[in-house]
Amino acid sequence: MHVVVNAAMSADGKLSSRRREQVRISGDEDFDRMDALRAASDAVVVGVGTVLADDPHLTVKDEARSSERVDAGEAPCPARVVIDSRGRTPTEAAILDGTAETFVCVSEDAPTSARERLGERATVITAGSGRVSLVDAFEGLEQAGLERLMVEGGGELIFSLFEAGLVDELCVFVGPQIIGGRDAPTLADGDGFVEDFPALTLEAVERLDDGVVLCWEIRS
């Protein structure tokens, strides 16, 4: 399995404002880059916080890219995956609209009623107690045939993936604005590292819109 984390952050490393409302950080060129990454992936992964805050569809927008996937024997859009320890994804969420195969990864502590409700619209993978075991959940996704995963956030999930040693690449668009705020989400939230910091090797730099895309490989 190959895991690529893709994100857009402000020049001061924020994903959104302290209100955790969606902020437009990148422009059309970066949106197109992100769409190409989606089209090249087997699945797009987000945390439940992103679903609750932004209600994303996580589908490929460019029709030509969707057609290329179909010509290659794949679905028009990659699968969608929500990491949702307690099964909080709303039934009416766009990610459950049936336009692409969807997986919801929950923990053993998710209520049975929530698992049954989600199971009517998605494939539910139960992994871990208290919170989703990302290692076990990703193993389940791999067994389902998903080899290349693109992670789109949020910060808690991204930190947890680094903590679990599951990230292979990190691509970040750094936008031309300052958001600020000690309570605004950053690229990697969670508890944070105090030692054994993940080491990165810079592989590519590209100027897009009024910002820059930085791509690193993660050194094991």
Side-chain angles (χ1 to χ4, degrees), residues 156-177:
E156 295 278 349
L157 173 59
I158 291 172
F159 170 78
S160 296
L161 288 168
F162 273 106
E163 187 178 38
L166 291 172
V167 182
D168 298 294
E169 292 182 58
L170 172 64
C171 292
V172 181
F173 175 86
V174 182
Q177 64 264 88

Side-chain angles (χ1 to χ4, degrees), residues 8-25:
M9 68 182 187
S10 62
D12 59 332
K14 304 298 184 180
L15 300 183
S16 65
S17 72
R18 68 179 185 274
R19 296 178 179 176
R20 296 184 178 266
E21 298 169 343
Q22 190 174 33
V23 174
R24 184 180 173 97
I25 294 174

Side-chain angles (χ1 to χ4, degrees), residues 11 25-30 173-177 206-213:
I25 294 174
S26 57
D28 292 340
E29 290 181 345
D30 189 58
F173 175 86
V174 182
Q177 64 264 88
E206 180 183 8
R207 182 167 182 168
L208 284 181
D209 299 315
D210 287 324
V212 63
V213 179

